[in-house]
Amino acid sequence: EVVLTQSPATLSLSPGESATLSCRASQSVGTDLGWYQQKPGQAPRLLIYDASKGATGTPARFSGRGSETDFTLTISNLEPEDSAVYYCQQRYFWPLTFGGGTKVEI
Amino acid sequence: QITLRESGPTLVKPTQTLTLTCSFSEFSVSTYGVGVAWIRQPPGKALEWLALIYWNNDEHYSPSLRTRLTITKDTSKNQVVLTMTDMDPVDTATYFCALRRVTETHLFHPWGQGTLVTVSS
């Protein structure tokens, strides 16, 4: 099973700043990784797929990069509405696995 | 607009079997490349993928729960059903269903709103 380790656990930033979230895979998953945003009481929402491609409706301030075992999600020019927990997920191996999440507080 | 909605009991007793239904619209689970998955999230914890069924009846399960899970689809009703046997309090979680299309993002998009299932005597 591929273990995805997200860091940091919590990120506290101010509006207008940038956030950099990390997701590290226990083995290479190529670029078969995505990112989700989950706000309190809501279902997760897909932000990024294939490591760097924005899903429909994803604001341009969200960007992803990385390959193999190291991935990052960057949120530029943070807005209060970006407060949420962000999860990475790999689709390269069965079973499909998620990271433990990073909470972003604005 | 594609929507999914989970339904089922909110409270089950330990050792009972849980049956959850995912009802969806604006897509068919018989269309090439379409899959419907179940994912759960214990209160305050991370997401855990449980099971997935594809248009071609291919099924995949979480190895840690494989012996307790069964996923089925009813194309005529636009539904996917998950059964989980021998429920335990640690299975208390919000259960989500989600669409996966191998012809598009290959990830879960969109998701249902989720249904909270509590396991308690």
Side-chain angles (χ1 to χ4, degrees):
Chain A
E1 174 174 319
V2 175
V3 176
L4 298 177
T5 302
Q6 292 189 240
S7 61
T10 304
L11 207 46
S12 297
L13 295 166
S14 299
E17 292 187 313
S18 291
T20 301
L21 288 64
S22 172
C23 176
R24 183 159 292 178
S26 60
Q27 55 189 296
S28 175
V29 296
T31 55
D32 291 346
L33 184 125
W35 294 89
Y36 299 87
Q37 175 193 64
Q38 186 179 31
K39 297 182 179 181
Q42 297 184 17
R45 165 196 169 197
L46 179 65
L47 291 176
I48 300 289
Y49 67 100
D50 290 352
S52 62
K53 299 176 182 178
T56 303
T58 299
R61 63 180 185 277
F62 290 88
S63 62
R65 61 180 297 173
S67 65
E68 298 190 14
T69 60
D70 289 299
F71 301 86
T72 58
L73 174 70
T74 300
I75 314 171
S76 304
N77 193 22
L78 281 164
E79 298 186 4
E81 66 193 46
D82 298 332
S83 292
V85 179
Y86 293 83
Y87 294 97
C88 57
Q89 182 231 319
Q90 65 83 22
R91 65 171 181 89
Y92 193 84
F93 289 107
W94 296 102
L96 306 177
T97 51
F98 291 89
T102 290
K103 183 176 183 179
V104 175
E105 300 174 331
I106 312 298
Chain B
Q1 177 183 344
I2 289 174
T3 61
L4 302 96
R5 186 177 73 246
E6 305 85 353
S7 59
T10 57
L11 179 66
V12 298
K13 290 180 167 43
T15 75
Q16 287 187 335
T17 294
L18 171 69
T19 299
L20 294 173
T21 300
C22 177
S23 302
F24 47 84
S25 62
E26 301 302 319
F27 71 90
S28 172
V29 74
S30 62
T31 300
Y32 173 83
V34 168
V36 174
W38 285 94
I39 302 112
R40 71 178 179 180
Q41 184 173 40
K45 296 189 177 180
L47 302 163
E48 178 185 19
W49 169 73
L50 301 176
L52 174 65
I53 189 165
Y54 282 117
W55 81 100
N56 59 359
N57 296 314
D58 192 20
E59 301 169 20
H60 295 268
Y61 294 95
S62 168
S64 63
L65 294 167
R66 176 60 185 95
T67 59
R68 299 173 53 204
L69 296 175
T70 303
I71 190 169
T72 60
K73 62 183 176 71
D74 187 328
T75 302
S76 64
K77 292 183 178 179
N78 279 352
Q79 291 180 338
V80 167
V81 175
L82 180 76
T83 60
M84 181 180 290
T85 61
D86 195 24
M87 294 293 285
D88 183 272
V90 300
D91 296 314
T92 294
T94 296
Y95 288 75
F96 299 96
C97 62
L99 170 63
R100 186 189 199 204
R101 286 183 283 198
V102 298
T103 54
E104 297 188 17
T105 69
H106 289 257
L107 295 178
F108 302 127
H109 174 71
W111 297 52
Q113 64 186 13
T115 185
L116 175 61
V117 177
T118 301
V119 184
S120 175
S121 55

